Amino acid sequence: MDKLRICGNGPLNGEIRVSGAKNAALPILCTSLLTADTMRFTNVPMLRDISTTQKLLQGMGVRVMTDNVHEMEITADHLDSLVAPYDLVKTMRASILVLGPTLARFGEATVSLPGGCAIGSRPVDQHIKGLVAMGAEVVIEHGYVKAKAARLRGAHIVMDVVTVGGTENLLMAAALADGTTILENAAREPEVTDLANCLVAMGARISGIGTNRLVVEGVDKLHGCEYAIMPDRIEAGTFLVAAAITQGHLILRNAAPRSMESVLDKLVEAGAIVEAGDDWISLDMKRRPKAINFRTLPYPAFPTDMQAQLMTLNCVAEGTGVVTETIFENRFMHVPELNRMGARIEVEGNTAVVHGVDKLSGATVMATDLRASASLVLAGLVAQGETIVDRIYHLDRGYEYIEKKLGAVGAQIERIS
C-alpha cells in the first residue's frame, strides 16, 4: 500500500494547474445514462473515484472511452444491466447517483444502499422521498433500493434538509419526467450548478440554477453534447493553504475563484494577500498565519471539505482558532493525528479549539478519509523532520497527482510503497 514521505522544505513558490472538480464530475458522468447519444467530457480529473464510476457504468453496459488524461467519451445507447452492485457502491457513495437517471430513462433501477461513511451518516432518504413523490414505486430489499416507474411525473418536492446528492439525483430524474418538477430547499453548491448547466446543454429545461429553488420542465428526450467539468474548488483551496502555511507564493491556473469566496475570505483573514481573475488565483503569505474562527455550513458558507485543511493552518498560526463542524458528526478524525505531530487541539462535541504552536514535528500518521489525508500532507509540509502519511488511497480519491503538483513548487514529497 502506497504512502507519502514528506519533509518540510520551506516556502512553496510557483504555479499549479487545478484539476477538474471530482464532486462535479461524478454526477455529470452519470448524465450519460439519460441519453442514447455520445457524451464527450473534458477537464475530467483522473482519480480513483472517477475510475470507480467508469467501472460502474461499464458494468451496466455503457461504453466508455478515455485518453486517461482529461477526456472521456461515454455512450449509453443500451444497457445490459440496471443494477449498481454493492461491491462498487461500497467504495464510493456517489454511486447512488445512477439511481435517478437510470430510473427516469429505463423505467427501473436497482442500486445498493451506500451504507455507512467514516465521516458520518449520509442517508439517502431524501433521494427516495423525491422519487416516490414523482410516482416511483420504491422498496428496499436485501440492502438494495429497487425503484420502478413507467414514467416519472413532475412533482413539488420540499427537501427536509439541504442535500447535494439528493438534489443532483432528483434534478437528473426530473429532466425526463412528464411535467414540471419544483425542488425546494435545493443545494446551491457550484457542483450542482455545473450539473444543471450540463443538463441544459443536453436539452433540459431548468430555471433557478444557482438558487435553492430549481424548476425543471421535463422533456421527452435529451441529446449528447460536449461539456467541460468545472475546476475543483477544494483542490484549489488545499493548495492555497499549502502556500499560506509555508509562507510562500502560489499562482493557481484553471481555477474558479467565484466558487470559493468563503475560503478566500478566511485566507485573507489569516494574513494572506490574495488576488484573483476569472480563472486564476494568486496567494502570497509574508508572515506567520493568524488563527481564524470558522463554522462549516452549506454553500455559499464555508465548506466542510475545507475544514481539515484550515484547521491545520490554525495548528501553526499565531493565537487560538475555534472550528465548528455542523455538516458531519464525525469529521474530526484527523485531530488525534495532528496532535501526534505536536498540535494542540481540544475537541468537545462538534467544536475544536486549536492553539497555535511554533512548530510541528514529523511523525507517521494515518489518513482516515479524503480531506483528513490532505490535512496531514499540509502538516508534513511545515513539520520538522520526516512525516509519513499512511493509507493515501483516500487521497487518490480526490487529488490528482498531488505529490507531483506540490513537488513542482518546492515541496520535498514522494510516494513510497
Side-chain angles (χ1 to χ4, degrees), residues 309-348:
Q309 298 91 310
L310 262 290
M311 183 184 289
T312 303
L313 182 142
N314 273 347
C315 288
V316 293
E318 178 184 308
T320 297
V322 179
V323 178
T324 305
E325 172 63 52
T326 73
I327 306 297
F328 294 115
E329 70 271 18
N330 197 26
R331 204 160 201 181
F332 283 155
M333 291 189 294
H334 48 285
V335 169
E337 303 302 301
L338 290 172
N339 282 343
R340 292 187 67 247
M341 297 179 69
R344 290 180 57 212
I345 308 171
E346 303 161 0
V347 174
E348 184 172 343

Side-chain angles (χ1 to χ4, degrees), residues 4 6 9 11-16 235 238-243 246 250 252 374 377-378 381 395 399-414:
L4 285 181
I6 308 163
N9 197 38
L12 300 185
N13 291 284
E15 294 189 7
I16 292 179
E235 184 195 54
T238 301
F239 290 141
L240 292 176
V241 174
T246 61
L250 279 186
L252 303 185
V377 171
L378 294 174
L381 294 176
L395 201 67
Y399 291 91
E400 188 178 39
Y401 315 124
I402 189 171
E403 70 275 17
K404 294 181 180 179
K405 289 186 176 184
L406 289 174
V409 293
Q412 189 171 332
I413 178 173
E414 64 175 337

Side-chain angles (χ1 to χ4, degrees), residues 281-296:
I281 306 171
S282 168
L283 183 142
D284 193 10
M285 190 61 134
K286 299 180 181 297
R287 49 157 293 162
R288 180 183 179 186
K290 294 180 288 187
I292 52 177
N293 303 329
F294 62 94
R295 172 186 295 264
T296 65

Side-chain angles (χ1 to χ4, degrees), residues 178-194:
D178 182 17
T180 300
T181 299
I182 300 174
L183 300 178
E184 303 272 13
N185 199 27
R188 298 170 55 192
E189 271 69 6
E191 295 79 11
V192 176
T193 294
D194 209 31

Side-chain angles (χ1 to χ4, degrees), residues 26-328:
L26 296 178
I28 287 174
L29 293 182
C30 292
T31 64
S32 59
L33 293 166
L34 290 166
T35 177
D37 297 343
T38 296
M39 297 287 294
R40 183 170 184 269
F41 302 109
T42 59
N43 202 38
V44 181
M46 292 297 141
L47 304 166
R48 183 184 295 271
D49 279 6
I50 297 296
S51 176
T52 300
T53 301
Q54 178 180 340
K55 291 175 183 176
L56 175 60
L57 293 173
Q58 288 174 322
M60 298 172 72
V62 177
R63 299 199 307 277
V64 181
M65 297 179 62
T66 177
D67 64 356
N68 289 314
V69 181
H70 289 127
E71 296 186 5
M72 273 190 173
E73 285 190 359
I74 305 180
T75 308
D77 48 1
H78 77 279
L79 295 190
D80 300 325
S81 170
L82 301 177
V83 178
Y86 171 73
D87 285 348
L88 286 175
V89 175
K90 71 178 181 180
T91 66
M92 185 188 70
R93 291 188 51 87
S95 301
I96 194 70
L97 293 173
V98 302
L99 176 62
T102 304
L103 175 63
R105 181 169 163 222
F106 296 97
E108 63 179 289
T110 300
V111 181
S112 172
L113 284 168
C117 182
I119 60 175
S121 174
R122 295 182 180 182
V124 296
D125 57 315
Q126 298 302 303
H127 306 236
I128 296 172
K129 171 189 170 183
L131 293 175
V132 169
M134 296 169 72
E137 297 179 5
V138 181
V139 296
I140 298 177
E141 293 179 345
H142 310 297
Y144 280 81
V145 178
K146 299 181 178 181
K148 289 186 177 182
R151 185 178 183 187
L152 295 174
R153 58 176 183 268
H156 190 170
I157 302 168
V158 181
M159 283 175 274
D160 297 333
V161 295
V162 177
T163 161
V164 173
T167 300
E168 291 168 340
N169 233 339
L170 298 177
L171 189 58
M172 288 187 280
L176 287 181
D178 182 17
T180 300
T181 299
I182 300 174
L183 300 178
E184 303 272 13
N185 199 27
R188 298 170 55 192
E189 271 69 6
E191 295 79 11
V192 176
T193 294
D194 209 31
L195 170 64
N197 288 335
C198 177
L199 290 169
V200 169
M202 297 171 67
R205 297 178 178 178
I206 306 172
S207 59
I209 296 175
T211 74
N212 62 2
R213 188 177 189 269
L214 296 170
V215 180
V216 187
E217 297 179 39
V219 297
D220 292 331
K221 186 178 180 181
L222 294 173
H223 55 73
C225 71
E226 179 172 333
Y227 194 80
I229 309 296
M230 69 173 287
D232 195 317
R233 62 190 173 112
I234 305 302
E235 184 195 54
T238 301
F239 290 141
L240 292 176
V241 174
I245 204 171
T246 61
Q247 298 179 42
H249 178 217
L250 279 186
I251 298 174
L252 303 185
R253 303 294 184 186
N254 188 45
R258 283 189 290 272
S259 71
M260 51 186 298
E261 291 176 347
S262 63
V263 174
L264 299 182
D265 288 347
K266 285 299 174 183
L267 289 168
V268 170
E269 188 179 330
I273 300 170
V274 177
E275 298 178 336
D278 289 340
D279 61 356
W280 61 270
I281 306 171
S282 168
L283 183 142
D284 193 10
M285 190 61 134
K286 299 180 181 297
R287 49 157 293 162
R288 180 183 179 186
K290 294 180 288 187
I292 52 177
N293 303 329
F294 62 94
R295 172 186 295 264
T296 65
L297 288 166
Y299 188 85
F302 191 89
T304 182
D305 278 355
M306 280 299 301
Q307 177 255 106
Q309 298 91 310
L310 262 290
M311 183 184 289
T312 303
L313 182 142
N314 273 347
C315 288
V316 293
E318 178 184 308
T320 297
V322 179
V323 178
T324 305
E325 172 63 52
T326 73
I327 306 297
F328 294 115

